[in-house]
């Protein structure tokens, strides 16, 4: 019975301690990664933003008379009213700022992406109003609209996915760690000694002697 009691107590402690320690170890293993999975997805989308805008700009250069000739026209002889080069630079700016803030520095605030999105939105609105891009065919519509949409998708992804999920993971880790800190009070690490529940059986010899004494006392005195 003593062994059963000690095994049950030890089993209860192991049942409660194993899931807690496993959850803490899994979270600490995630913390050892360079960035979380959802943040890596965000950085991948930022990279896609740069590559997609670059691809559209290269296609626009090739369609309008050849890449080499159009590079000379749009870069060396840059004209704010006709060139798409500044939209490409805007994508480079978003990529550099967001990767530096959220991949290198691992910020947990939205101020960096708020700045990049505000600059992108303001620049594109002014360029569409002032410049003559809309008279240059489909790319005059496509590049500003794509840049605008990608910038706001990045903002939504960070503000509604990355930051809330990382904050929730941290809260869960702290709660699990708090529970593990109080666990030894409920389930001590040392096993219960069998001696604490041991009661020696009555000796048969002692029982026989007690019976003989009682019989002697009951005999009549002659």
């Amino acid at each position: 019975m003593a062994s059963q009691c000690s095994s049950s107590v030890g089993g209860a402690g192991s049942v409660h301690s194993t899931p807690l320690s496993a959850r803490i170890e899994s979270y600490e293993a995630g913390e050892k990664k360079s960035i979380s999975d959802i943040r890596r997805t965000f950085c991948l989308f930022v990279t896609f933003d740069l590559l997609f805008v670059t691809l559209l700009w290269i296609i626009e250069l090739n369609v309008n008379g050849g890449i080499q000739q159009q590079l000379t026209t749009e870069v060396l002889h840059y004209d704010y009213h006709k060139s798409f080069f500044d939209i490409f630079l805007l994508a480079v700016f978003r990529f550099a700022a967001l990767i530096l803030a959220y991949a290198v520095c691992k910020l947990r605030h939205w101020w960096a992406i708020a700045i990049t999105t505000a600059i992108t939105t303001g620049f594109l609105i002014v360029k569409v109003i002032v410049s003559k891009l809309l008279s240059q065919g489909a790319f005059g519509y496509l590049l500003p609209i794509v840049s605008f949409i990608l910038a706001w998708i990045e903002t939504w992804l960070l503000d509604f996915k990355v930051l809330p999920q990382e904050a929730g993971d941290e809260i869960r880790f702290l709660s699990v760690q708090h529970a593990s800190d109080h666990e030894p009070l409920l389930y001590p690490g040392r096993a219960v000694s069998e001696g604490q529940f041991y009661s020696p059986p009555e000796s048969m010899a002692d029982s026989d002697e007690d019976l003989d004494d009682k019989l002697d006392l009951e005999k009549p005195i002659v």
Side-chain angles (χ1 to χ4, degrees):
M1 178 178 179
S3 60
Q4 291 178 355
C5 184
S6 61
S7 62
S8 63
V9 173
S14 61
V15 167
H16 284 80
S17 61
T18 301
L20 291 176
S21 60
R23 290 168 65 182
I24 293 175
E25 289 175 0
S26 63
Y27 185 87
E28 289 177 347
E31 285 292 312
K32 291 179 181 179
K33 296 180 181 179
S34 57
I35 54 177
S36 62
D37 294 337
I38 188 66
R39 188 177 289 251
R40 187 183 300 111
T41 302
F42 170 77
C43 294
L44 184 63
F45 187 81
V46 172
T47 306
F48 167 77
D49 175 11
L50 173 63
L51 295 178
F52 190 55
V53 172
T54 302
L55 178 63
L56 290 179
W57 184 51
I58 292 174
I59 294 174
E60 183 270 332
L61 293 176
N62 199 21
V63 168
N64 291 334
I67 296 178
Q68 185 174 0
Q69 179 182 354
Q70 286 299 112
L71 280 175
T72 303
T73 303
E74 294 194 13
V75 178
L76 298 180
H77 305 286
Y78 170 75
D79 184 2
Y80 175 79
H81 297 85
K82 297 181 179 180
S83 178
F84 294 97
F85 179 59
D86 46 12
I87 297 180
F88 165 73
L89 290 181
L90 196 61
V92 173
F93 162 73
R94 285 197 306 274
F95 173 80
L98 296 178
I99 293 297
L100 177 63
Y102 297 108
V104 178
C105 298
K106 300 177 184 178
L107 293 182
R108 294 191 175 185
H109 200 274
W110 48 262
W111 64 265
I113 199 168
I115 293 174
T116 59
T117 304
I119 292 175
T120 298
T121 302
F123 181 86
L124 291 175
I125 291 175
V126 172
K127 188 172 181 65
V128 169
I129 294 174
V130 176
S131 67
K132 302 177 181 178
L133 294 180
L134 301 181
S135 62
Q136 298 186 26
F139 286 98
Y141 297 89
L142 187 60
L143 275 170
I145 292 174
V146 167
S147 298
F148 183 85
I149 292 175
L150 290 176
W152 279 97
I153 291 177
E154 290 166 355
T155 304
W156 173 83
L157 185 61
L158 181 78
D159 198 25
F160 290 92
K161 295 294 182 180
V162 178
L163 298 182
Q165 180 170 328
E166 290 183 347
D169 291 341
E170 185 175 4
I171 292 173
R172 284 191 292 272
F173 169 71
L174 293 176
S175 63
V176 171
Q177 190 177 37
H178 179 74
S180 65
D181 291 340
H182 289 75
E183 180 186 352
L185 299 177
L186 300 176
Y187 303 99
R190 64 182 183 87
V192 180
S193 174
E194 293 185 2
Q196 297 178 4
F197 298 96
Y198 175 77
S199 58
E202 295 182 357
S203 174
M204 295 298 296
D206 293 341
S207 300
D208 293 339
E209 291 177 358
D210 293 341
L211 182 60
D212 292 338
D213 293 338
K214 291 179 179 179
L215 293 175
D216 293 338
L217 292 174
E218 292 176 357
K219 288 181 179 180
I221 299 174
V222 180

